[in-house]
Amino acid sequence: MSTKVCSEADIQVDSPMRAVVDGTAVAIVKDSAGTVHAIGDTCTHGDISLAEGFVEGDTLECWAHGSRFSLATGKPQNFPAYEPVPVFRVEVRDGEVYVDVHDPVPVD
């Protein structure tokens, strides 16, 4: 069950945006290739919003302690975080972004 989150035009490349989808905080990111990603907005190392962080390539970096999370898998790429954040399915239809927080993408 996907929920409309925003217009694709509302998302700036490499500039995370926070949204709450059905009670779940999500960081929405459009990478430099134009792909829209949705991952859990809370860093697993500390209770910090990842949407306030920095996009670096295919990762989102927490501004507080520097842990980077893969936009594709949610897995941390470095310490201090060691637990992944959830990754959610995104669909862009007719210029609108839809996110399904009820069925996270499985972590390998």
mmCIF file of all heavy atoms in Angstrom, residues 28-46:
data_model
loop_
_atom_site.group_PDB
_atom_site.id
_atom_site.type_symbol
_atom_site.label_atom_id
_atom_site.label_comp_id
_atom_site.label_asym_id
_atom_site.label_seq_id
_atom_site.Cartn_x
_atom_site.Cartn_y
_atom_site.Cartn_z
ATOM 1 N N ILE A 28 13.667 11.076 2.216
ATOM 2 C CA ILE A 28 13.484 10.950 0.771
ATOM 3 C C ILE A 28 14.686 11.618 0.109
ATOM 4 O O ILE A 28 15.016 12.762 0.427
ATOM 5 C CB ILE A 28 12.195 11.651 0.298
ATOM 6 C CG1 ILE A 28 10.982 11.211 1.129
ATOM 7 C CG2 ILE A 28 11.978 11.442 -1.188
ATOM 8 C CD1 ILE A 28 10.567 9.783 0.948
ATOM 9 N N VAL A 29 15.330 10.900 -0.823
ATOM 10 C CA VAL A 29 16.540 11.407 -1.474
ATOM 11 C C VAL A 29 16.465 11.148 -2.969
ATOM 12 O O VAL A 29 16.128 10.044 -3.392
ATOM 13 C CB VAL A 29 17.804 10.706 -0.915
ATOM 14 C CG1 VAL A 29 19.046 11.194 -1.632
ATOM 15 C CG2 VAL A 29 17.936 10.912 0.576
ATOM 16 N N LYS A 30 16.801 12.170 -3.752
ATOM 17 C CA LYS A 30 16.996 11.979 -5.198
ATOM 18 C C LYS A 30 18.499 12.057 -5.429
ATOM 19 O O LYS A 30 19.134 13.071 -5.148
ATOM 20 C CB LYS A 30 16.282 13.058 -6.009
ATOM 21 C CG LYS A 30 16.389 12.821 -7.519
ATOM 22 C CD LYS A 30 15.808 13.966 -8.334
ATOM 23 C CE LYS A 30 14.323 14.020 -8.241
ATOM 24 N NZ LYS A 30 13.755 15.078 -9.132
ATOM 25 N N ASP A 31 19.079 10.940 -5.915
ATOM 26 C CA ASP A 31 20.529 10.922 -6.123
ATOM 27 C C ASP A 31 20.893 11.624 -7.428
ATOM 28 O O ASP A 31 20.020 12.065 -8.186
ATOM 29 C CB ASP A 31 21.093 9.499 -6.042
ATOM 30 C CG ASP A 31 20.590 8.579 -7.153
ATOM 31 O OD1 ASP A 31 20.151 9.062 -8.225
ATOM 32 O OD2 ASP A 31 20.652 7.352 -6.957
ATOM 33 N N SER A 32 22.184 11.744 -7.693
ATOM 34 C CA SER A 32 22.650 12.483 -8.871
ATOM 35 C C SER A 32 22.224 11.837 -10.179
ATOM 36 O O SER A 32 22.199 12.496 -11.212
ATOM 37 C CB SER A 32 24.168 12.652 -8.828
ATOM 38 O OG SER A 32 24.791 11.392 -8.772
ATOM 39 N N ALA A 33 21.848 10.552 -10.143
ATOM 40 C CA ALA A 33 21.344 9.877 -11.341
ATOM 41 C C ALA A 33 19.851 10.117 -11.535
ATOM 42 O O ALA A 33 19.272 9.694 -12.537
ATOM 43 C CB ALA A 33 21.630 8.378 -11.254
ATOM 44 N N GLY A 34 19.209 10.782 -10.556
ATOM 45 C CA GLY A 34 17.783 11.075 -10.670
ATOM 46 C C GLY A 34 16.880 10.028 -10.040
ATOM 47 O O GLY A 34 15.661 10.141 -10.118
ATOM 48 N N THR A 35 17.467 9.013 -9.404
ATOM 49 C CA THR A 35 16.682 7.965 -8.757
ATOM 50 C C THR A 35 16.220 8.453 -7.386
ATOM 51 O O THR A 35 17.004 9.012 -6.623
ATOM 52 C CB THR A 35 17.521 6.680 -8.591
ATOM 53 O OG1 THR A 35 17.981 6.269 -9.874
ATOM 54 C CG2 THR A 35 16.712 5.566 -7.955
ATOM 55 N N VAL A 36 14.947 8.222 -7.087
ATOM 56 C CA VAL A 36 14.396 8.617 -5.800
ATOM 57 C C VAL A 36 14.463 7.416 -4.852
ATOM 58 O O VAL A 36 14.060 6.312 -5.199
ATOM 59 C CB VAL A 36 12.944 9.114 -5.933
ATOM 60 C CG1 VAL A 36 12.365 9.478 -4.570
ATOM 61 C CG2 VAL A 36 12.875 10.301 -6.881
ATOM 62 N N HIS A 37 14.989 7.667 -3.642
ATOM 63 C CA HIS A 37 15.129 6.635 -2.613
ATOM 64 C C HIS A 37 14.354 7.055 -1.375
ATOM 65 O O HIS A 37 14.191 8.251 -1.119
ATOM 66 C CB HIS A 37 16.599 6.470 -2.205
ATOM 67 C CG HIS A 37 17.509 6.130 -3.329
ATOM 68 N ND1 HIS A 37 17.783 4.836 -3.699
ATOM 69 C CD2 HIS A 37 18.217 6.917 -4.177
ATOM 70 C CE1 HIS A 37 18.626 4.836 -4.716
ATOM 71 N NE2 HIS A 37 18.901 6.091 -5.022
ATOM 72 N N ALA A 38 13.933 6.064 -0.581
ATOM 73 C CA ALA A 38 13.286 6.330 0.702
ATOM 74 C C ALA A 38 13.877 5.369 1.728
ATOM 75 O O ALA A 38 13.819 4.155 1.551
ATOM 76 C CB ALA A 38 11.782 6.133 0.603
ATOM 77 N N ILE A 39 14.490 5.928 2.775
ATOM 78 C CA ILE A 39 15.048 5.091 3.841
ATOM 79 C C ILE A 39 14.564 5.624 5.184
ATOM 80 O O ILE A 39 14.118 6.765 5.279
ATOM 81 C CB ILE A 39 16.596 5.026 3.800
ATOM 82 C CG1 ILE A 39 17.241 6.359 4.161
ATOM 83 C CG2 ILE A 39 17.080 4.557 2.435
ATOM 84 C CD1 ILE A 39 18.754 6.258 4.318
ATOM 85 N N GLY A 40 14.657 4.782 6.196
ATOM 86 C CA GLY A 40 14.287 5.202 7.541
ATOM 87 C C GLY A 40 15.040 6.466 7.918
ATOM 88 O O GLY A 40 16.239 6.580 7.640
ATOM 89 N N ASP A 41 14.358 7.391 8.550
ATOM 90 C CA ASP A 41 14.953 8.704 8.816
ATOM 91 C C ASP A 41 15.772 8.762 10.103
ATOM 92 O O ASP A 41 16.405 9.758 10.370
ATOM 93 C CB ASP A 41 13.851 9.762 8.873
ATOM 94 C CG ASP A 41 14.406 11.164 9.043
ATOM 95 O OD1 ASP A 41 15.381 11.505 8.334
ATOM 96 O OD2 ASP A 41 13.888 11.913 9.881
ATOM 97 N N THR A 42 15.807 7.706 10.878
ATOM 98 C CA THR A 42 16.507 7.756 12.157
ATOM 99 C C THR A 42 17.792 6.946 12.115
ATOM 100 O O THR A 42 17.774 5.749 11.854
ATOM 101 C CB THR A 42 15.607 7.242 13.297
ATOM 102 O OG1 THR A 42 14.386 7.987 13.279
ATOM 103 C CG2 THR A 42 16.276 7.407 14.643
ATOM 104 N N CYS A 43 18.917 7.602 12.377
ATOM 105 C CA CYS A 43 20.214 6.932 12.434
ATOM 106 C C CYS A 43 20.160 5.846 13.501
ATOM 107 O O CYS A 43 19.632 6.065 14.596
ATOM 108 C CB CYS A 43 21.313 7.941 12.759
ATOM 109 S SG CYS A 43 22.952 7.198 12.938
ATOM 110 N N THR A 44 20.702 4.676 13.202
ATOM 111 C CA THR A 44 20.675 3.574 14.166
ATOM 112 C C THR A 44 21.745 3.711 15.240
ATOM 113 O O THR A 44 21.751 2.964 16.206
ATOM 114 C CB THR A 44 20.828 2.218 13.447
ATOM 115 O OG1 THR A 44 22.040 2.214 12.685
ATOM 116 C CG2 THR A 44 19.642 1.942 12.548
ATOM 117 N N HIS A 45 22.638 4.664 15.098
ATOM 118 C CA HIS A 45 23.649 4.898 16.132
ATOM 119 C C HIS A 45 23.115 5.846 17.206
ATOM 120 O O HIS A 45 23.375 5.677 18.388
ATOM 121 C CB HIS A 45 24.932 5.472 15.529
ATOM 122 C CG HIS A 45 25.916 5.925 16.553
ATOM 123 N ND1 HIS A 45 26.148 7.260 16.819
ATOM 124 C CD2 HIS A 45 26.705 5.236 17.402
ATOM 125 C CE1 HIS A 45 27.057 7.362 17.773
ATOM 126 N NE2 HIS A 45 27.407 6.150 18.159
ATOM 127 N N GLY A 46 22.366 6.850 16.769
ATOM 128 C CA GLY A 46 21.784 7.821 17.691
ATOM 129 C C GLY A 46 20.451 8.257 17.144
ATOM 130 O O GLY A 46 20.132 8.034 15.983
#
